[in-house]
């Protein structure tokens, strides 16, 4: 029963981290700015769409409101004049991936990075800026997306209130009205100026245009009546909406490694990712601690979440979690169980063998898991500390011998538009 409970809790934690649009389990996600202010962020997803975006821009211009548009790169490439108009009229343009494909949550990191970078390249060519803010399609944050966003220096953005009008969902006036009534200072509001994958003749497109014509001015009026002013996302969050070139993280392992062999490529990623030997040793220790927990089969995922959250070297953390391999894993588990037994009973495991001979197999399993849960914070911490201390000289030696240069990687915005080439 204890094992089932541990698995259930771990599954629920991971499901929350992936599916909840504001979760920060895998990557820090911003959904609101400081609460003391009188501004709210008005954001639109899935555009630009020639059927809706011009209407939205006209309404915003009439009301004197600046908003943020999370643009899908493929739509931006097809309708560049709309993106240029957004930028020219003072709105903020942000990244919503190139493909806007919900299946990208199951893609490997390299393919996810290709979509994110293609979208960035299109938007950068049209606006002259690389967007800092990134909102995942449908708000799902899988570990590969979290890894890519962290490596590229992006800021993930969720939302506080949504009109729930994406795709084929109808834009209802009462939902837009509730946005204005529920919003608080610093909130992020989500609507859609694009109907991704919906044909022109679909009634939901015409209906959305009709509702916007009345509901969007009413939303702005409601916010202003309550003392709130719609604004751009960067003004609400207090974070620059564009990435400076110096902020871009290394892209090795995401968009290619040139002609480096596997061993040399791994070596460069490990010791040249802007990490000192001390940071690599700490990351390894964290991985060893995670690998010593009784979360069977979830060590890699938990290690990835912690490495992204704590900005540690992911490869070093992953190497540390491998302490749970079939050779060393049983030794680590036994050490944790021994410490837990000592803490709970005052005796080491095996001092009273007749007690174990009389117990049932189920009872033995429950006791072992209980001892493991109690003992792993202490035993695993000591093991992690030992791993960090012992690995430091090795990382120092590797850093000294690692190649001094990395193969240059293509700029996200330079040259021809990547969206014009087949992937």
């Amino acid at each position: 029963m204890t094992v089932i409970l541990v698995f259930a809790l771990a599954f629920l934690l991971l499901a929350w981290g992936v599916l909840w649009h504001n979760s920060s389990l895998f990557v820090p996600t911003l959904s609101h700015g400081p609460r003391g202010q009188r501004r709210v962020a008005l954001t639109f997803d899935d555009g630009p769409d020639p059927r809706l975006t011009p209407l939205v821009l006209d309404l915003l211009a009439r009301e004197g409101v600046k908003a943020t548009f999370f643009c899908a790169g493929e739509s931006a490439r097809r309708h560049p004049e709309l993106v240029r108009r957004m930028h020219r009229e003072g709105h903020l343009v942000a990244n919503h991936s190139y493909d806007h494909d919900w299946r990208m949550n199951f893609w490997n990191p390299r393919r996810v990075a290709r979509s994110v970078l293609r979208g960035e390249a299109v938007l950068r060519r049209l606006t002259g800026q690389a967007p800092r803010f990134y909102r995942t399609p449908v708000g799902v944050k899988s570990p590969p997306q979290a890894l890519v966003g962290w490596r590229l220096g992006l800021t993930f953005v969720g939302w506080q209130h949504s009109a729930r009008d994406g795709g084929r969902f109808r834009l209802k006036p009462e939902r837009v009205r509730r946005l204005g009534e529920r919003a608080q200072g610093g909130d992020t509001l989500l609507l859609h100026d694009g109907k991704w994958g919906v044909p022109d003749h679909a009634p939901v497109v015409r209906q959305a245009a009709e509702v916007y014509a009345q509901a969007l001015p009413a939303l702005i009026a409601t916010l202003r009546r309550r003392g709130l002013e719609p604004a751009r996302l960067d003004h609400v969050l207090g974070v620059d909406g564009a990435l400076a070139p110096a902020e871009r993280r290394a892209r090795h392992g995401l968009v290619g490694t040139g002609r480096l062999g596997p061993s040399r490529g791994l070596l460069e990623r490990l010791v040249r990712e802007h990490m000192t030997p001390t940071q690599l040793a700490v990351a390894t220790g964290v991985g060893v601690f995670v690998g010593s927990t009784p979360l069977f089969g979830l060590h890699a995922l938990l290690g990835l979440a912690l490495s992204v959250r704590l900005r540690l070297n992911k490869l070093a953390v992953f190497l540390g979690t491998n302490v749970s391999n079939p050779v060393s894993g049983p030794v680590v588990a036994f050490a944790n169980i021994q410490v837990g037994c000592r803490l709970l009973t005052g005796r080491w495991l095996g001092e009273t063998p007749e007690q174990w001979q009389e117990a049932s197999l189920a009872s033995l399993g429950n006791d072992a898991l209980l001892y493991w849960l109690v003992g792993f914070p202490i035993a695993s911490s000591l093991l992690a500390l030992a791993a960090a201390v012992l690995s430091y000289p090795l990382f120092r030696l590797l850093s000294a011998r690692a190649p001094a240069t990395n193969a240059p990687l293509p700029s996200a915005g330079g040259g021809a538009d990547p969206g014009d080439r087949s992937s």
Side-chain angles (χ1 to χ4, degrees), residues 30 32-34 37 39 133 232-241:
L30 301 180
H32 63 82
Q37 61 181 301
R39 291 179 292 191
F133 299 124
R232 291 175 22 153
L233 184 64
D234 54 342
H235 296 164
V236 174
L237 298 180
V239 179
D240 192 352

Side-chain angles (χ1 to χ4, degrees), residues 163 171-180 191 211 215-216 219:
L171 178 62
K172 298 182 178 181
E174 58 270 22
R175 288 180 180 169
V176 181
R177 184 180 67 251
R178 283 198 294 269
L179 290 181
L191 300 100
V211 172
L216 188 55
L219 168 63

Side-chain angles (χ1 to χ4, degrees), residues 337-382:
I337 292 172
Q338 280 278 30
V339 173
C341 181
R342 180 71 179 184
L343 291 173
L344 289 179
T345 67
R347 298 188 301 271
W348 294 108
L349 190 67
E351 288 186 358
T352 55
E354 62 280 358
Q355 178 183 355
W356 292 91
Q357 293 174 0
E358 297 173 358
S360 65
L361 184 61
S363 177
L364 287 174
N366 286 332
D367 288 346
L369 184 58
L370 177 61
Y371 294 156
W372 195 346
L373 290 171
V374 173
F376 93 85
I378 297 177
S380 297
S381 296
L382 294 175

Side-chain angles (χ1 to χ4, degrees), residues 182-238:
R182 296 178 177 177
Q184 301 178 21
D187 276 354
T188 300
L189 309 182
L190 169 62
L191 300 100
H192 290 76
D193 69 314
K195 288 294 182 183
W196 188 268
V198 179
D200 292 342
H201 57 78
V204 70
V205 177
R206 182 179 65 256
Q207 182 267 347
E210 295 172 354
V211 172
Y212 263 132
Q214 301 297 325
L216 188 55
L219 168 63
I220 296 171
T222 300
L223 291 172
R224 286 173 170 169
R225 186 175 66 251
R226 298 181 56 226
L228 300 173
E229 181 63 26
R232 291 175 22 153
L233 184 64
D234 54 342
H235 296 164
V236 174
L237 298 180

Side-chain angles (χ1 to χ4, degrees), residues 77-124:
R77 181 180 64 83
R78 292 178 178 176
H79 310 289
E81 70 285 353
L82 292 177
V83 179
R84 292 192 181 99
R85 180 184 172 186
M86 294 173 188
H87 183 65
R88 184 173 63 250
E89 295 183 359
H91 302 292
L92 180 64
V93 177
N95 196 339
H96 201 36
S97 81
Y98 182 84
D99 309 271
H100 194 275
D101 191 339
W102 65 270
R103 294 171 298 183
M104 70 186 301
N105 294 293
F106 303 97
W107 293 352
N108 60 54
R110 182 172 298 183
R111 189 176 177 186
V112 171
R114 190 174 295 115
S115 177
V116 174
L117 289 172
R118 288 181 74 190
E120 176 190 294
V122 175
L123 300 178
R124 185 173 183 178

Side-chain angles (χ1 to χ4, degrees), residues 122-407:
V122 175
L123 300 178
R124 185 173 183 178
R125 180 173 61 85
L126 296 175
T127 67
Q129 297 178 336
R132 175 188 301 276
F133 299 124
Y134 174 66
R135 180 177 281 159
T136 63
V138 302
V140 175
K141 296 186 294 294
S142 61
Q145 290 211 64
L147 170 63
V148 169
W150 182 84
R151 287 292 296 273
L152 298 181
L154 302 177
T155 298
F156 282 68
V157 177
W159 61 87
Q160 285 292 306
H161 305 288
S162 170
R164 292 179 289 173
D165 59 329
R168 295 183 178 273
F169 289 97
R170 295 170 61 87
L171 178 62
K172 298 182 178 181
E174 58 270 22
R175 288 180 180 169
V176 181
R177 184 180 67 251
R178 283 198 294 269
L179 290 181
E181 295 172 349
R182 296 178 177 177
Q184 301 178 21
D187 276 354
T188 300
L189 309 182
L190 169 62
L191 300 100
H192 290 76
D193 69 314
K195 288 294 182 183
W196 188 268
V198 179
D200 292 342
H201 57 78
V204 70
V205 177
R206 182 179 65 256
Q207 182 267 347
E210 295 172 354
V211 172
Y212 263 132
Q214 301 297 325
L216 188 55
L219 168 63
I220 296 171
T222 300
L223 291 172
R224 286 173 170 169
R225 186 175 66 251
R226 298 181 56 226
L228 300 173
E229 181 63 26
R232 291 175 22 153
L233 184 64
D234 54 342
H235 296 164
V236 174
L237 298 180
V239 179
D240 192 352
L243 277 173
E247 294 178 290
R248 173 69 74 210
R249 288 187 169 273
R251 299 182 189 174
H252 275 306
L254 294 178
V255 291
T257 57
R259 296 185 179 182
L260 295 175
S263 299
R264 186 180 175 188
L266 286 174
L267 174 65
E268 287 209 21
R269 292 175 214 171
L270 182 63
V271 301
R272 305 297 293 185
E273 191 183 324
H274 308 292
M275 296 287 178
T276 65
T278 301
Q279 291 172 319
L280 291 172
V282 170
T284 303
V286 170
V288 169
F289 181 86
V290 171
S292 302
T293 64
L295 298 175
F296 310 99
L298 299 176
H299 296 138
L301 280 176
L302 183 57
L304 173 61
L306 282 176
S307 63
V308 172
R309 181 67 176 169
L310 302 178
R311 293 189 174 271
L312 302 172
N313 183 284
K314 291 162 290 301
L315 181 56
V317 173
F318 178 75
L319 290 176
T321 61
N322 278 293
V323 73
S324 60
N325 67 73
V327 177
S328 60
V331 178
V332 173
F334 184 73
N336 283 284
I337 292 172
Q338 280 278 30
V339 173
C341 181
R342 180 71 179 184
L343 291 173
L344 289 179
T345 67
R347 298 188 301 271
W348 294 108
L349 190 67
E351 288 186 358
T352 55
E354 62 280 358
Q355 178 183 355
W356 292 91
Q357 293 174 0
E358 297 173 358
S360 65
L361 184 61
S363 177
L364 287 174
N366 286 332
D367 288 346
L369 184 58
L370 177 61
Y371 294 156
W372 195 346
L373 290 171
V374 173
F376 93 85
I378 297 177
S380 297
S381 296
L382 294 175
L383 185 61
L385 179 61
V389 171
L390 293 175
S391 63
Y392 174 79
L394 175 62
F395 287 130
R396 190 172 180 84
L397 178 63
L398 290 175
S399 297
R401 294 187 176 182
T405 60
N406 286 327

